[in-house]
Amino acid sequence: MSEATGKKAVLELDGKKIELPIYSGTLGPDVIDVKDVLASGHFTFDPGFMATASCESKITFIDGDKGILLHRGYPIDQLATQASYLETCYLLLNGELPTEEQKEKFKKNVRQHTMVHDQVSRFYNGFRRDAHPMAIMVGVVGALSAFYHNNLDIEDVNHREITAIRLIAKIPTLAAWSYKYTVGQPFVYPRNDLSYAENFLYMMFATPADRDYQVNPVLAKAMDRIFTLHADHEQNASTSTVRLAGSTGANPYACIAAGISALWGPAHGGANEAVLKMLDEIGSVDNVAEFMEKVKRKEVKLMGFGHRVYKNFDPRAKVMKQTCDEVLAALGINDPQLALAMELEKIALSDPYFVERKLYPNVDFYSGIILKAIGIPTEMFTVIFALARTVGWISHWLEMHSGPYKIGRPRQLYTGATQRDIQR
Ligand code: CMC
């Protein structure tokens, strides 16, 4: 529980003083508890939750001004370079990095659940072949609750834990199949002798005609790092959606499906796909200057730039840029679209319009470029973000359900019609 600082904020309303307690966390700004404002007949007003702490959490800390992102206290660059994605998953779920023994047990546990009930595979046939894979993901992840409903007592800690493992284990299978379905290739079943990232790439790219398909270790490492860098991000739009859905007692598969829906938007997880679409639209380096003028006239946004919280740099983008350089060098790629991306980055980092507004490349700018280099189709970019973020969502859902919580029920500033009678 947070600590009361003893300090109080005083709000004066209609000549009356309301004392509001202030709490301190372990890091970050203190918070003013505004609950008592209600008794005065007022609501607080904060559209977009710019200044609102919606919950108490021990999972992730962000200092946007300093470019700090910590999971359970560990800096993201250390996790991305010194721990694997599954170790990061264990950390997010349990609060500590695993010992060797715990790591092996966790990996075994995840491996045991990589298959999905075979009838789930038939679900895909209900979708058009040209369905967006995110549309498929929203459907099939929500549908899991119909297959694993015997472990859905959210009051039971064992049920909650097995569901968390199932989600982390099955999401790569469901994600790879959402791609296979749209290209008309048979589903490839998981291989438990491969690492988490290798297995995902294997299910994406292997075919029955290419039984000896080998996953490139450089690409598997890059994929694992992309997963780690997207694993959690505090109370962002999709995580808050998962918590809000979870606060009603909805089952975890439904909550994660809600998170996937929220992530889909171009201002959130859809940005990595939008980056590549933007590069397509610009076409060539010759058109960059004209495009930047459009951005400055606010006709379009520079996708993959800017962040609600990071106003100096995105610490994830730093590691991602390094991985991006490694992957491009290892693959010897000479793609004009990537050259275009690098030109955009150069201009945005030096042009006063972007510098003054603190619009730096975010994690999705580089992840989009890496994913393209790996050969992942653009429509799958946000699916990969959803795959990686599933552990963050479920960690927040678990945290919420391990203590007391209230249904999330914000109020509003009503500006519609006042009461009137139907006149007929
Ligand atoms: N391109 C051009 N101008 C921008 C951009 C952009 N991407 N982002 C913000 N601005 C401008 C905005 O027009 C405003 O200018 P002015 O002060 O002249 O009115 C100023 O910068 C401040 O913008 P804001 O709208 O107050 O910023 P916000 O915190 O509400 O928005 C954002 C954050 C991420 C939604 C926005 O920067 C954006 O849409 N970026 C592009 C989408 C993107 O890359 N999203 C991925 C975020 S990282 C992955 C994740 O965590 O989900």
Side-chain angles (χ1 to χ4, degrees):
M1 189 53 201
S2 52
E3 288 199 19
T5 55
K7 285 193 287 179
K8 291 198 186 318
V10 180
L11 179 68
E12 199 168 322
L13 268 173
D14 305 328
K16 280 196 203 136
K17 287 190 176 164
I18 307 172
E19 288 198 339
L20 305 171
I22 297 182
Y23 306 124
S24 275
T26 46
L27 290 171
D30 290 350
V31 298
I32 305 170
D33 181 343
V34 293
K35 278 198 296 295
D36 290 347
V37 173
L38 186 61
S40 74
H42 292 79
F43 295 142
T44 55
F45 185 55
D46 181 20
F49 306 117
M50 306 282 287
T52 296
S54 64
C55 63
E56 192 178 319
S57 180
K58 293 182 168 51
I59 301 174
T60 290
F61 172 75
I62 298 175
D63 183 329
D65 291 330
K66 295 195 184 123
I68 292 173
L69 167 60
L70 309 176
H71 292 323
R72 304 283 191 182
Y74 295 109
I76 188 63
D77 55 317
Q78 290 184 25
L79 290 170
T81 54
Q82 296 174 43
S84 69
Y85 175 68
L86 278 189
E87 285 174 293
T88 306
C89 289
Y90 186 97
L91 173 72
L92 288 169
L93 292 167
N94 300 295
E96 294 297 335
L97 280 166
T99 61
E100 269 311 303
E101 198 188 334
Q102 287 165 334
K103 184 167 85 181
E104 288 314 309
K105 202 170 151 205
F106 183 68
K107 275 171 38 184
K108 194 169 160 213
N109 207 357
V110 170
R111 273 203 296 269
Q112 262 172 6
H113 292 279
T114 50
M115 301 264 291
V116 288
H117 191 293
D118 215 44
Q119 259 175 288
V120 173
S121 65
R122 298 193 208 151
F123 244 81
Y124 287 77
N125 291 326
F127 289 95
R128 282 170 50 140
R129 288 278 172 189
D130 60 357
H132 194 288
M134 279 297 274
I136 299 181
M137 290 301 281
V138 171
V140 293
V141 172
L144 291 183
S145 47
F147 290 86
Y148 303 101
H149 49 76
N150 52 348
N151 290 108
L152 280 185
D153 178 358
I154 59 170
E155 305 300 328
D156 184 327
V157 63
N158 296 320
H159 284 206
R160 296 200 298 264
E161 279 172 10
I162 185 70
T163 301
I165 296 290
R166 278 191 172 133
L167 272 159
I168 294 163
K170 293 180 199 310
I171 201 94
T173 312
L174 297 174
W177 288 4
S178 73
Y179 165 63
K180 287 294 196 192
Y181 182 75
T182 58
V183 289
Q185 288 183 8
F187 294 154
V188 173
Y189 284 83
R191 257 183 54 191
N192 288 346
D193 58 321
L194 299 176
S195 74
Y196 193 84
E198 285 169 340
N199 182 43
F200 173 65
L201 289 173
Y202 170 77
M203 289 189 289
M204 280 286 295
F205 296 121
T207 62
D210 181 12
R211 283 169 205 276
D212 296 329
Y213 175 81
Q214 296 290 325
V215 179
N216 179 334
V218 176
L219 305 192
K221 184 177 154 207
M223 201 72 241
D224 194 79
R225 199 165 273 185
I226 288 178
F227 290 161
T228 304
L229 291 172
H230 286 90
D232 190 42
H233 212 228
E234 205 225 45
Q235 311 307 327
N236 55 81
S238 56
T239 304
S240 296
T241 301
V242 170
R243 280 191 181 255
L244 196 58
S247 77
T248 69
N251 78 69
Y253 299 107
C255 296
I256 301 301
I260 295 174
S261 307
L263 186 77
W264 196 353
H268 193 6
N272 50 16
E273 181 176 343
V275 169
L276 268 283
K277 283 199 181 131
M278 175 185 75
L279 296 178
D280 266 346
E281 196 187 310
I282 300 173
S284 88
V285 175
D286 300 341
N287 303 329
V288 168
E290 194 191 326
F291 183 81
M292 290 307 216
E293 286 313 308
K294 271 200 206 166
V295 174
K296 291 180 190 175
R297 291 197 300 269
K298 297 192 196 289
E299 288 166 22
V300 285
K301 268 190 174 175
L302 194 54
M303 299 313 288
F305 286 77
H307 199 275
R308 167 58 65 79
V309 179
Y310 298 121
K311 296 300 179 195
N312 282 316
F313 68 93
D314 178 343
R316 303 167 300 172
K318 265 192 160 176
V319 190
M320 203 60 104
K321 179 174 168 45
Q322 190 193 331
T323 307
C324 185
D325 294 342
E326 277 168 29
V327 168
L328 298 187
L331 296 178
I333 284 182
N334 190 8
D335 179 334
Q337 209 176 34
L338 299 178
L340 174 57
M342 295 305 140
E343 181 65 17
L344 274 186
E345 180 201 30
K346 203 169 87 193
I347 295 181
L349 290 176
S350 55
D351 186 313
Y353 181 92
F354 300 98
V355 175
E356 277 160 20
R357 286 172 180 73
K358 304 191 168 186
L359 296 172
Y360 299 90
N362 58 47
V363 67
D364 284 333
F365 181 70
Y366 298 110
S367 69
I369 297 169
I370 301 172
L371 291 173
K372 178 178 159 64
I374 291 179
I376 305 269
T378 315
E379 303 74 51
M380 282 298 289
F381 289 8
T382 316
V383 172
I384 286 171
F385 193 157
L387 182 171
R389 184 55 60 82
T390 294
V391 68
W393 291 328
I394 203 69
S395 300
H396 284 271
W397 180 85
L398 286 169
E399 180 175 69
M400 191 176 85
H401 282 286
S402 63
Y405 62 92
K406 285 180 110 50
I407 184 170
R409 179 56 170 92
R411 301 305 302 267
Q412 61 177 3
L413 172 65
Y414 178 69
T415 52
T418 53
Q419 183 167 340
R420 50 185 165 164
D421 295 319
I422 297 175
Q423 304 286 347
R424 283 207 178 120

